[in-house]
Amino acid sequence: MAKTLQVAIIGECMVELQKSGELFKQTFGGDTLNTALYLARLTASFGVMTRYLTGLGQDPFSQQMLTSWQKEGINTDHVVISDRHLPGMYLIQTSADGERRFFYWRDNSAAKYWLNEQTASDTQQLLNQQQFIYLSGVSLAILPEPTRNLLFTLLETARQSGAEIIFDNNYRPALWPSIEAAQAAYQHMLALTDMAFLTFDDEQLLYGDQHENQSITRAQQYGVNEIIIKRGEKPCYIVIDNQQQEIPADQVSNVVDTTAAGDSFSAGYLACRILGGTPAEAASTGHLLAGTVIQHRGAIIPNDAMPQMTLNQSQKA
């Protein structure tokens, strides 16, 4: 029987509000949670364990989150439950062309405090057991600077123990005290990263890049081995060992809501790579899933709407 592959995803899930007529529909979402959920859906039957590392409260919303994640096959054994903090909340405002704006209430969210000195040793032991660790720019941004530096130390040790570190740039300017602080944190993170998902729009916001090659060169300078440049509906770029591929996406005419498009692409790509697929196969898998997600409202589509994908079964138990 093949060894169970373990993926730890670090981040934050929030209460999501979306206007529906005169009322608001309440669900849950967050960039890394979206990726964790889609990754679990794609890989659980192949013997991959996806666990989510975050903080929640003791409120009904937090309990609903835990229950829903467990139903999706996400391991929640190491979610930190706070008796002082609640989950964050955000509102999505979607325009007629499917683009969206976000409004956040998260300054004191439980996820901001999931990692501290008391739990660091246990977290280190857990991370050292993972084959893959995934986090995003948002995962970094919500942490106080001392906690972020502690996380960097834990990731460096886990990487030395054999974990592959995957970083999705997801840059949200409002979460950072300054662009210089964000750049410093991203550069530290890239130096620990094996696989980087870089949305080019975010690279432009953060660094003022005029061309994708600038983003690629920067990541290479920090030692990133596998670089995926996400470009929305345009072909993505994959760069490994200075070899670049361009993988087109199927055109989608019925774009309803672009929420979680990038998160689901990352999940599809990562699922395929974990299970032994080639980078080109992984990009096609990511495009297919993202193209399906944007035809539905909200971050998480119904399970029965998931596209049929053929993933490499070499790792299946």
Side-chain angles (χ1 to χ4, degrees):
M1 180 177 292
K3 178 182 178 181
T4 297
L5 293 178
Q6 298 188 63
V7 185
I9 296 187
I10 299 169
E12 176 185 33
C13 183
M14 293 175 288
V15 179
E16 176 187 300
L17 298 177
Q18 238 184 91
K19 193 165 186 182
S20 179
E22 295 301 315
L23 302 176
F24 287 93
K25 177 183 177 183
Q26 183 266 304
T27 56
F28 303 108
D31 63 336
T32 53
L33 187 278
N34 300 335
T35 300
L37 187 146
Y38 286 121
L39 182 66
R41 286 184 179 181
L42 292 172
T43 64
S45 64
F46 294 88
V48 177
M49 177 186 291
T50 299
R51 57 167 37 93
Y52 198 54
L53 303 183
T54 190
L56 289 176
Q58 297 180 352
D59 56 287
F61 282 142
S62 293
Q63 186 55 56
Q64 289 172 29
M65 287 187 203
L66 280 175
T67 300
S68 66
W69 302 346
Q70 291 161 359
K71 287 181 179 178
E72 290 283 356
I74 298 172
N75 183 294
T76 62
D77 291 351
H78 292 81
V79 172
V80 176
I81 305 300
S82 170
D83 59 1
R84 295 184 295 168
H85 302 284
L86 300 173
M89 179 181 296
Y90 69 103
L91 168 67
I92 302 176
Q93 184 181 70
T94 306
S95 62
D97 63 359
E99 288 302 320
R100 74 277 191 215
R101 295 176 64 199
F102 294 87
F103 302 88
Y104 295 98
W105 297 264
R106 75 191 319 169
D107 287 347
N108 201 35
S109 72
K112 186 175 181 178
Y113 303 97
W114 78 272
L115 178 63
N116 55 54
E117 295 289 349
Q118 286 69 45
T119 60
S121 59
D122 290 341
T123 302
Q124 184 71 82
Q125 185 177 8
L126 175 69
L127 293 179
N128 290 350
Q129 298 169 1
Q130 307 305 299
Q131 282 73 50
F132 305 93
I133 302 170
Y134 175 101
L135 68 163
S136 76
V138 176
S139 310
L140 299 178
I142 65 171
L143 299 178
E145 185 175 3
T147 309
R148 189 184 310 131
N149 290 332
L150 173 59
L151 178 59
F152 287 147
T153 300
L154 300 185
L155 292 174
E156 182 175 8
T157 301
R159 193 182 189 207
Q160 292 169 353
S161 296
E164 182 171 345
I165 310 298
I166 301 113
F167 178 61
D168 193 312
N169 66 346
N170 269 9
Y171 173 53
R172 301 295 179 263
L175 296 179
W176 293 94
S178 68
I179 194 169
E180 292 79 14
Q183 289 173 349
Y186 274 58
Q187 289 159 12
H188 195 157
M189 186 65 228
L190 285 176
L192 301 171
T193 296
D194 299 289
M195 179 190 296
F197 292 98
L198 305 178
T199 298
F200 184 58
D201 287 348
D202 290 355
E203 292 291 285
Q204 289 179 303
L205 274 176
L206 183 57
Y207 295 106
D209 289 356
Q210 299 299 309
H211 194 276
E212 290 87 349
N213 284 342
Q214 294 172 272
S215 307
I216 291 167
T217 298
R218 182 184 307 107
Q220 289 176 323
Q221 288 174 341
Y222 284 99
V224 181
N225 179 61
E226 185 164 346
I227 304 162
I228 304 95
I229 304 292
K230 296 190 285 187
R231 305 166 68 235
E233 73 278 4
K234 298 177 183 178
C236 69
Y237 296 148
I238 304 170
V239 183
I240 301 176
D241 296 328
N242 291 316
Q243 300 297 312
Q244 182 168 320
Q245 300 180 69
E246 182 175 320
I247 310 298
D250 294 332
Q251 294 302 304
V252 177
S253 58
N254 181 37
V255 177
V256 174
D257 183 354
T258 58
T259 303
D263 308 330
S264 57
F265 175 91
S266 297
Y269 187 98
L270 186 56
C272 192
R273 291 294 278 150
I274 285 174
L275 296 170
T278 66
E281 291 169 340
S284 295
T285 301
H287 283 316
L288 178 59
L289 180 55
T292 303
V293 168
I294 64 176
Q295 296 179 65
H296 295 78
R297 290 206 176 278
I300 305 301
I301 65 176
N303 214 330
D304 59 10
M306 291 285 291
Q308 295 297 313
M309 303 183 187
T310 303
L311 299 175
N312 189 302
Q313 299 193 32
S314 63
Q315 301 286 352
K316 189 172 183 179

mmCIF file of all heavy atoms in Angstrom, residues 199-238:
data_model
loop_
_atom_site.group_PDB
_atom_site.id
_atom_site.type_symbol
_atom_site.label_atom_id
_atom_site.label_comp_id
_atom_site.label_asym_id
_atom_site.label_seq_id
_atom_site.Cartn_x
_atom_site.Cartn_y
_atom_site.Cartn_z
ATOM 1 N N THR A 199 0.182 35.269 -9.387
ATOM 2 C CA THR A 199 -0.795 35.972 -10.218
ATOM 3 C C THR A 199 -0.135 37.251 -10.706
ATOM 4 O O THR A 199 0.301 38.076 -9.904
ATOM 5 C CB THR A 199 -2.057 36.284 -9.413
ATOM 6 O OG1 THR A 199 -2.649 35.054 -8.984
ATOM 7 C CG2 THR A 199 -3.069 37.061 -10.255
ATOM 8 N N PHE A 200 -0.060 37.422 -12.030
ATOM 9 C CA PHE A 200 0.721 38.533 -12.554
ATOM 10 C C PHE A 200 0.143 39.886 -12.156
ATOM 11 O O PHE A 200 0.888 40.832 -11.876
ATOM 12 C CB PHE A 200 0.847 38.439 -14.078
ATOM 13 C CG PHE A 200 1.735 39.511 -14.656
ATOM 14 C CD1 PHE A 200 3.055 39.631 -14.241
ATOM 15 C CD2 PHE A 200 1.239 40.418 -15.584
ATOM 16 C CE1 PHE A 200 3.871 40.637 -14.752
ATOM 17 C CE2 PHE A 200 2.052 41.423 -16.092
ATOM 18 C CZ PHE A 200 3.369 41.536 -15.685
ATOM 19 N N ASP A 201 -1.178 40.009 -12.085
ATOM 20 C CA ASP A 201 -1.783 41.266 -11.631
ATOM 21 C C ASP A 201 -1.267 41.650 -10.244
ATOM 22 O O ASP A 201 -1.014 42.830 -9.959
ATOM 23 C CB ASP A 201 -3.310 41.147 -11.590
ATOM 24 C CG ASP A 201 -3.933 41.134 -12.978
ATOM 25 O OD1 ASP A 201 -3.214 41.442 -13.953
ATOM 26 O OD2 ASP A 201 -5.130 40.808 -13.084
ATOM 27 N N ASP A 202 -1.102 40.646 -9.365
ATOM 28 C CA ASP A 202 -0.610 40.913 -8.018
ATOM 29 C C ASP A 202 0.868 41.303 -8.028
ATOM 30 O O ASP A 202 1.307 42.149 -7.248
ATOM 31 C CB ASP A 202 -0.827 39.692 -7.123
ATOM 32 C CG ASP A 202 -2.288 39.460 -6.807
ATOM 33 O OD1 ASP A 202 -3.118 40.298 -7.192
ATOM 34 O OD2 ASP A 202 -2.608 38.431 -6.179
ATOM 35 N N GLU A 203 1.640 40.679 -8.903
ATOM 36 C CA GLU A 203 3.048 41.049 -9.035
ATOM 37 C C GLU A 203 3.184 42.493 -9.517
ATOM 38 O O GLU A 203 4.067 43.234 -9.074
ATOM 39 C CB GLU A 203 3.755 40.102 -10.020
ATOM 40 C CG GLU A 203 3.894 38.672 -9.528
ATOM 41 C CD GLU A 203 4.875 38.555 -8.370
ATOM 42 O OE1 GLU A 203 6.098 38.629 -8.611
ATOM 43 O OE2 GLU A 203 4.399 38.385 -7.224
ATOM 44 N N GLN A 204 2.298 42.899 -10.420
ATOM 45 C CA GLN A 204 2.313 44.282 -10.890
ATOM 46 C C GLN A 204 1.996 45.251 -9.752
ATOM 47 O O GLN A 204 2.638 46.300 -9.616
ATOM 48 C CB GLN A 204 1.302 44.459 -12.025
ATOM 49 C CG GLN A 204 1.710 43.775 -13.325
ATOM 50 C CD GLN A 204 0.673 43.939 -14.419
ATOM 51 O OE1 GLN A 204 -0.488 43.567 -14.247
ATOM 52 N NE2 GLN A 204 1.072 44.520 -15.530
ATOM 53 N N LEU A 205 1.006 44.894 -8.927
ATOM 54 C CA LEU A 205 0.645 45.745 -7.795
ATOM 55 C C LEU A 205 1.787 45.857 -6.789
ATOM 56 O O LEU A 205 2.068 46.931 -6.260
ATOM 57 C CB LEU A 205 -0.585 45.177 -7.081
ATOM 58 C CG LEU A 205 -1.964 45.558 -7.587
ATOM 59 C CD1 LEU A 205 -3.033 44.809 -6.793
ATOM 60 C CD2 LEU A 205 -2.185 47.060 -7.473
ATOM 61 N N LEU A 206 2.439 44.738 -6.540
ATOM 62 C CA LEU A 206 3.450 44.693 -5.485
ATOM 63 C C LEU A 206 4.783 45.280 -5.920
ATOM 64 O O LEU A 206 5.455 45.964 -5.146
ATOM 65 C CB LEU A 206 3.631 43.245 -5.019
ATOM 66 C CG LEU A 206 4.591 42.990 -3.867
ATOM 67 C CD1 LEU A 206 4.203 43.797 -2.630
ATOM 68 C CD2 LEU A 206 4.631 41.499 -3.534
ATOM 69 N N TYR A 207 5.174 45.008 -7.175
ATOM 70 C CA TYR A 207 6.507 45.404 -7.624
ATOM 71 C C TYR A 207 6.507 46.372 -8.805
ATOM 72 O O TYR A 207 7.566 46.868 -9.186
ATOM 73 C CB TYR A 207 7.311 44.159 -8.018
ATOM 74 C CG TYR A 207 7.604 43.213 -6.887
ATOM 75 C CD1 TYR A 207 6.919 42.011 -6.776
ATOM 76 C CD2 TYR A 207 8.570 43.515 -5.923
ATOM 77 C CE1 TYR A 207 7.179 41.123 -5.735
ATOM 78 C CE2 TYR A 207 8.844 42.641 -4.896
ATOM 79 C CZ TYR A 207 8.150 41.443 -4.799
ATOM 80 O OH TYR A 207 8.413 40.570 -3.774
ATOM 81 N N GLY A 208 5.355 46.582 -9.426
ATOM 82 C CA GLY A 208 5.319 47.431 -10.612
ATOM 83 C C GLY A 208 5.853 46.747 -11.856
ATOM 84 O O GLY A 208 6.279 47.423 -12.804
ATOM 85 N N ASP A 209 5.847 45.424 -11.896
ATOM 86 C CA ASP A 209 6.359 44.692 -13.053
ATOM 87 C C ASP A 209 5.601 45.077 -14.324
ATOM 88 O O ASP A 209 4.376 45.231 -14.318
ATOM 89 C CB ASP A 209 6.236 43.182 -12.836
ATOM 90 C CG ASP A 209 7.209 42.666 -11.784
ATOM 91 O OD1 ASP A 209 8.019 43.459 -11.275
ATOM 92 O OD2 ASP A 209 7.142 41.454 -11.467
ATOM 93 N N GLN A 210 6.334 45.189 -15.408
ATOM 94 C CA GLN A 210 5.740 45.478 -16.708
ATOM 95 C C GLN A 210 5.597 44.231 -17.561
ATOM 96 O O GLN A 210 4.822 44.213 -18.529
ATOM 97 C CB GLN A 210 6.593 46.517 -17.456
ATOM 98 C CG GLN A 210 6.710 47.845 -16.734
ATOM 99 C CD GLN A 210 5.365 48.517 -16.527
ATOM 100 O OE1 GLN A 210 4.591 48.676 -17.468
ATOM 101 N NE2 GLN A 210 5.067 48.890 -15.288
ATOM 102 N N HIS A 211 6.324 43.187 -17.218
ATOM 103 C CA HIS A 211 6.293 41.954 -18.008
ATOM 104 C C HIS A 211 6.478 40.754 -17.086
ATOM 105 O O HIS A 211 7.159 40.837 -16.064
ATOM 106 C CB HIS A 211 7.397 41.971 -19.076
ATOM 107 C CG HIS A 211 7.224 40.907 -20.118
ATOM 108 N ND1 HIS A 211 7.669 39.616 -19.935
ATOM 109 C CD2 HIS A 211 6.625 40.931 -21.343
ATOM 110 C CE1 HIS A 211 7.369 38.882 -21.009
ATOM 111 N NE2 HIS A 211 6.744 39.661 -21.877
ATOM 112 N N GLU A 212 5.878 39.658 -17.482
ATOM 113 C CA GLU A 212 5.939 38.444 -16.663
ATOM 114 C C GLU A 212 7.367 37.977 -16.414
ATOM 115 O O GLU A 212 7.658 37.364 -15.385
ATOM 116 C CB GLU A 212 5.139 37.314 -17.325
ATOM 117 C CG GLU A 212 3.637 37.507 -17.313
ATOM 118 C CD GLU A 212 3.123 38.310 -18.481
ATOM 119 O OE1 GLU A 212 3.958 38.909 -19.216
ATOM 120 O OE2 GLU A 212 1.893 38.347 -18.686
ATOM 121 N N ASN A 213 8.274 38.240 -17.354
ATOM 122 C CA ASN A 213 9.658 37.796 -17.171
ATOM 123 C C ASN A 213 10.305 38.422 -15.938
ATOM 124 O O ASN A 213 11.195 37.817 -15.328
ATOM 125 C CB ASN A 213 10.493 38.127 -18.413
ATOM 126 C CG ASN A 213 10.224 37.171 -19.566
ATOM 127 O OD1 ASN A 213 9.688 36.082 -19.352
ATOM 128 N ND2 ASN A 213 10.572 37.575 -20.774
ATOM 129 N N GLN A 214 9.871 39.612 -15.565
ATOM 130 C CA GLN A 214 10.404 40.233 -14.354
ATOM 131 C C GLN A 214 10.009 39.426 -13.118
ATOM 132 O O GLN A 214 10.822 39.214 -12.218
ATOM 133 C CB GLN A 214 9.887 41.668 -14.224
ATOM 134 C CG GLN A 214 10.383 42.615 -15.299
ATOM 135 C CD GLN A 214 9.684 43.960 -15.219
ATOM 136 O OE1 GLN A 214 8.635 44.176 -15.806
ATOM 137 N NE2 GLN A 214 10.281 44.878 -14.462
ATOM 138 N N SER A 215 8.763 38.971 -13.091
ATOM 139 C CA SER A 215 8.288 38.155 -11.960
ATOM 140 C C SER A 215 9.010 36.818 -11.924
ATOM 141 O O SER A 215 9.383 36.326 -10.851
ATOM 142 C CB SER A 215 6.777 37.935 -12.084
ATOM 143 O OG SER A 215 6.083 39.148 -12.233
ATOM 144 N N ILE A 216 9.207 36.241 -13.099
ATOM 145 C CA ILE A 216 9.888 34.948 -13.185
ATOM 146 C C ILE A 216 11.332 35.077 -12.708
ATOM 147 O O ILE A 216 11.821 34.265 -11.901
ATOM 148 C CB ILE A 216 9.831 34.414 -14.629
ATOM 149 C CG1 ILE A 216 8.390 34.034 -14.999
ATOM 150 C CG2 ILE A 216 10.771 33.218 -14.808
ATOM 151 C CD1 ILE A 216 8.178 33.785 -16.479
ATOM 152 N N THR A 217 12.021 36.102 -13.190
ATOM 153 C CA THR A 217 13.431 36.296 -12.814
ATOM 154 C C THR A 217 13.579 36.498 -11.315
ATOM 155 O O THR A 217 14.495 35.953 -10.678
ATOM 156 C CB THR A 217 14.015 37.492 -13.576
ATOM 157 O OG1 THR A 217 13.961 37.224 -14.988
ATOM 158 C CG2 THR A 217 15.458 37.754 -13.162
ATOM 159 N N ARG A 218 12.682 37.278 -10.730
ATOM 160 C CA ARG A 218 12.747 37.534 -9.288
ATOM 161 C C ARG A 218 12.601 36.228 -8.505
ATOM 162 O O ARG A 218 13.384 35.947 -7.581
ATOM 163 C CB ARG A 218 11.661 38.516 -8.874
ATOM 164 C CG ARG A 218 11.698 38.880 -7.388
ATOM 165 C CD ARG A 218 10.536 39.788 -6.998
ATOM 166 N NE ARG A 218 10.449 40.952 -7.850
ATOM 167 C CZ ARG A 218 9.530 41.150 -8.790
ATOM 168 N NH1 ARG A 218 8.568 40.245 -8.983
ATOM 169 N NH2 ARG A 218 9.535 42.226 -9.521
ATOM 170 N N ALA A 219 11.601 35.435 -8.859
ATOM 171 C CA ALA A 219 11.390 34.168 -8.151
ATOM 172 C C ALA A 219 12.589 33.242 -8.316
ATOM 173 O O ALA A 219 13.002 32.567 -7.370
ATOM 174 C CB ALA A 219 10.116 33.502 -8.659
ATOM 175 N N GLN A 220 13.167 33.211 -9.505
ATOM 176 C CA GLN A 220 14.342 32.372 -9.731
ATOM 177 C C GLN A 220 15.523 32.836 -8.885
ATOM 178 O O GLN A 220 16.290 32.020 -8.361
ATOM 179 C CB GLN A 220 14.721 32.391 -11.213
ATOM 180 C CG GLN A 220 13.749 31.632 -12.105
ATOM 181 C CD GLN A 220 14.096 31.761 -13.580
ATOM 182 O OE1 GLN A 220 14.537 32.828 -14.020
ATOM 183 N NE2 GLN A 220 13.902 30.695 -14.338
ATOM 184 N N GLN A 221 15.673 34.149 -8.746
ATOM 185 C CA GLN A 221 16.778 34.679 -7.949
ATOM 186 C C GLN A 221 16.686 34.250 -6.490
ATOM 187 O O GLN A 221 17.710 34.130 -5.812
ATOM 188 C CB GLN A 221 16.797 36.206 -8.056
ATOM 189 C CG GLN A 221 17.258 36.717 -9.415
ATOM 190 C CD GLN A 221 17.133 38.221 -9.558
ATOM 191 O OE1 GLN A 221 16.394 38.875 -8.808
ATOM 192 N NE2 GLN A 221 17.831 38.798 -10.520
ATOM 193 N N TYR A 222 15.456 34.009 -6.017
ATOM 194 C CA TYR A 222 15.284 33.546 -4.644
ATOM 195 C C TYR A 222 15.279 32.023 -4.539
ATOM 196 O O TYR A 222 15.062 31.480 -3.456
ATOM 197 C CB TYR A 222 14.007 34.136 -4.048
ATOM 198 C CG TYR A 222 14.168 35.584 -3.656
ATOM 199 C CD1 TYR A 222 13.723 36.597 -4.490
ATOM 200 C CD2 TYR A 222 14.809 35.941 -2.469
ATOM 201 C CE1 TYR A 222 13.898 37.943 -4.156
ATOM 202 C CE2 TYR A 222 14.994 37.261 -2.125
ATOM 203 C CZ TYR A 222 14.539 38.261 -2.975
ATOM 204 O OH TYR A 222 14.732 39.578 -2.646
ATOM 205 N N GLY A 223 15.507 31.344 -5.659
ATOM 206 C CA GLY A 223 15.682 29.899 -5.626
ATOM 207 C C GLY A 223 14.430 29.070 -5.856
ATOM 208 O O GLY A 223 14.450 27.857 -5.623
ATOM 209 N N VAL A 224 13.346 29.688 -6.317
ATOM 210 C CA VAL A 224 12.115 28.922 -6.579
ATOM 211 C C VAL A 224 12.329 28.039 -7.798
ATOM 212 O O VAL A 224 12.749 28.521 -8.862
ATOM 213 C CB VAL A 224 10.918 29.862 -6.807
ATOM 214 C CG1 VAL A 224 9.649 29.041 -7.049
ATOM 215 C CG2 VAL A 224 10.731 30.791 -5.611
ATOM 216 N N ASN A 225 12.029 26.756 -7.676
ATOM 217 C CA ASN A 225 12.298 25.804 -8.750
ATOM 218 C C ASN A 225 11.162 25.709 -9.762
ATOM 219 O O ASN A 225 11.406 25.563 -10.962
ATOM 220 C CB ASN A 225 12.560 24.414 -8.164
ATOM 221 C CG ASN A 225 12.830 23.380 -9.244
ATOM 222 O OD1 ASN A 225 13.789 23.511 -10.011
ATOM 223 N ND2 ASN A 225 11.979 22.365 -9.333
ATOM 224 N N GLU A 226 9.918 25.785 -9.283
ATOM 225 C CA GLU A 226 8.756 25.632 -10.176
ATOM 226 C C GLU A 226 7.881 26.878 -10.032
ATOM 227 O O GLU A 226 7.351 27.151 -8.957
ATOM 228 C CB GLU A 226 7.969 24.374 -9.821
ATOM 229 C CG GLU A 226 6.813 24.073 -10.762
ATOM 230 C CD GLU A 226 6.303 22.641 -10.633
ATOM 231 O OE1 GLU A 226 7.005 21.807 -10.009
ATOM 232 O OE2 GLU A 226 5.210 22.343 -11.155
ATOM 233 N N ILE A 227 7.767 27.625 -11.127
ATOM 234 C CA ILE A 227 7.070 28.908 -11.110
ATOM 235 C C ILE A 227 5.880 28.835 -12.056
ATOM 236 O O ILE A 227 6.030 28.476 -13.227
ATOM 237 C CB ILE A 227 8.010 30.050 -11.538
ATOM 238 C CG1 ILE A 227 9.259 30.076 -10.652
ATOM 239 C CG2 ILE A 227 7.281 31.392 -11.513
ATOM 240 C CD1 ILE A 227 10.418 30.864 -11.251
ATOM 241 N N ILE A 228 4.702 29.174 -11.521
ATOM 242 C CA ILE A 228 3.490 29.203 -12.339
ATOM 243 C C ILE A 228 2.963 30.635 -12.327
ATOM 244 O O ILE A 228 2.650 31.177 -11.267
ATOM 245 C CB ILE A 228 2.402 28.247 -11.795
ATOM 246 C CG1 ILE A 228 2.952 26.814 -11.685
ATOM 247 C CG2 ILE A 228 1.163 28.276 -12.695
ATOM 248 C CD1 ILE A 228 3.493 26.459 -10.320
ATOM 249 N N ILE A 229 2.906 31.251 -13.498
ATOM 250 C CA ILE A 229 2.386 32.612 -13.615
ATOM 251 C C ILE A 229 0.928 32.520 -14.040
ATOM 252 O O ILE A 229 0.613 32.088 -15.161
ATOM 253 C CB ILE A 229 3.183 33.447 -14.638
ATOM 254 C CG1 ILE A 229 4.676 33.465 -14.282
ATOM 255 C CG2 ILE A 229 2.618 34.864 -14.719
ATOM 256 C CD1 ILE A 229 5.010 34.211 -13.018
ATOM 257 N N LYS A 230 0.023 32.922 -13.154
ATOM 258 C CA LYS A 230 -1.413 32.896 -13.447
ATOM 259 C C LYS A 230 -1.810 34.219 -14.094
ATOM 260 O O LYS A 230 -1.515 35.293 -13.566
ATOM 261 C CB LYS A 230 -2.211 32.654 -12.164
ATOM 262 C CG LYS A 230 -1.937 31.297 -11.532
ATOM 263 C CD LYS A 230 -2.893 30.964 -10.408
ATOM 264 C CE LYS A 230 -2.600 31.737 -9.148
ATOM 265 N NZ LYS A 230 -3.438 31.275 -8.005
ATOM 266 N N ARG A 231 -2.525 34.121 -15.224
ATOM 267 C CA ARG A 231 -2.850 35.308 -16.014
ATOM 268 C C ARG A 231 -4.341 35.358 -16.375
ATOM 269 O O ARG A 231 -4.718 35.771 -17.459
ATOM 270 C CB ARG A 231 -1.988 35.332 -17.268
ATOM 271 C CG ARG A 231 -0.496 35.262 -16.979
ATOM 272 C CD ARG A 231 0.341 34.941 -18.204
ATOM 273 N NE ARG A 231 0.337 36.021 -19.174
ATOM 274 C CZ ARG A 231 -0.010 35.859 -20.447
ATOM 275 N NH1 ARG A 231 -0.426 34.669 -20.893
ATOM 276 N NH2 ARG A 231 0.042 36.879 -21.278
ATOM 277 N N GLY A 232 -5.197 34.899 -15.450
ATOM 278 C CA GLY A 232 -6.631 34.938 -15.690
ATOM 279 C C GLY A 232 -7.035 34.065 -16.860
ATOM 280 O O GLY A 232 -6.667 32.882 -16.929
ATOM 281 N N GLU A 233 -7.783 34.643 -17.805
ATOM 282 C CA GLU A 233 -8.265 33.865 -18.952
ATOM 283 C C GLU A 233 -7.173 33.638 -19.993
ATOM 284 O O GLU A 233 -7.348 32.851 -20.927
ATOM 285 C CB GLU A 233 -9.454 34.564 -19.602
ATOM 286 C CG GLU A 233 -9.136 35.817 -20.388
ATOM 287 C CD GLU A 233 -8.994 37.051 -19.513
ATOM 288 O OE1 GLU A 233 -9.069 36.921 -18.266
ATOM 289 O OE2 GLU A 233 -8.812 38.157 -20.068
ATOM 290 N N LYS A 234 -6.015 34.303 -19.825
ATOM 291 C CA LYS A 234 -4.911 34.121 -20.759
ATOM 292 C C LYS A 234 -4.136 32.846 -20.402
ATOM 293 O O LYS A 234 -4.255 32.321 -19.296
ATOM 294 C CB LYS A 234 -3.974 35.327 -20.702
ATOM 295 C CG LYS A 234 -4.622 36.646 -21.099
ATOM 296 C CD LYS A 234 -3.632 37.783 -20.931
ATOM 297 C CE LYS A 234 -4.281 39.120 -21.252
ATOM 298 N NZ LYS A 234 -3.327 40.252 -21.043
ATOM 299 N N PRO A 235 -3.312 32.336 -21.315
ATOM 300 C CA PRO A 235 -2.498 31.158 -20.994
ATOM 301 C C PRO A 235 -1.612 31.417 -19.787
ATOM 302 O O PRO A 235 -1.119 32.533 -19.587
ATOM 303 C CB PRO A 235 -1.659 30.964 -22.269
ATOM 304 C CG PRO A 235 -2.452 31.605 -23.360
ATOM 305 C CD PRO A 235 -3.136 32.778 -22.719
ATOM 306 N N CYS A 236 -1.414 30.393 -18.978
ATOM 307 C CA CYS A 236 -0.475 30.518 -17.868
ATOM 308 C C CYS A 236 0.917 30.140 -18.347
ATOM 309 O O CYS A 236 1.077 29.451 -19.361
ATOM 310 C CB CYS A 236 -0.899 29.622 -16.697
ATOM 311 S SG CYS A 236 -0.735 27.845 -16.994
ATOM 312 N N TYR A 237 1.916 30.625 -17.626
ATOM 313 C CA TYR A 237 3.298 30.263 -17.912
ATOM 314 C C TYR A 237 3.803 29.347 -16.809
ATOM 315 O O TYR A 237 3.532 29.568 -15.630
ATOM 316 C CB TYR A 237 4.198 31.503 -17.967
ATOM 317 C CG TYR A 237 3.884 32.482 -19.067
ATOM 318 C CD1 TYR A 237 4.098 33.845 -18.871
ATOM 319 C CD2 TYR A 237 3.381 32.070 -20.297
ATOM 320 C CE1 TYR A 237 3.824 34.770 -19.874
ATOM 321 C CE2 TYR A 237 3.099 32.981 -21.300
ATOM 322 C CZ TYR A 237 3.323 34.333 -21.079
ATOM 323 O OH TYR A 237 3.041 35.244 -22.075
ATOM 324 N N ILE A 238 4.548 28.326 -17.201
ATOM 325 C CA ILE A 238 5.201 27.432 -16.249
ATOM 326 C C ILE A 238 6.689 27.449 -16.545
ATOM 327 O O ILE A 238 7.098 27.247 -17.692
ATOM 328 C CB ILE A 238 4.669 25.992 -16.363
ATOM 329 C CG1 ILE A 238 3.154 25.948 -16.190
ATOM 330 C CG2 ILE A 238 5.344 25.092 -15.329
ATOM 331 C CD1 ILE A 238 2.557 24.602 -16.518
#
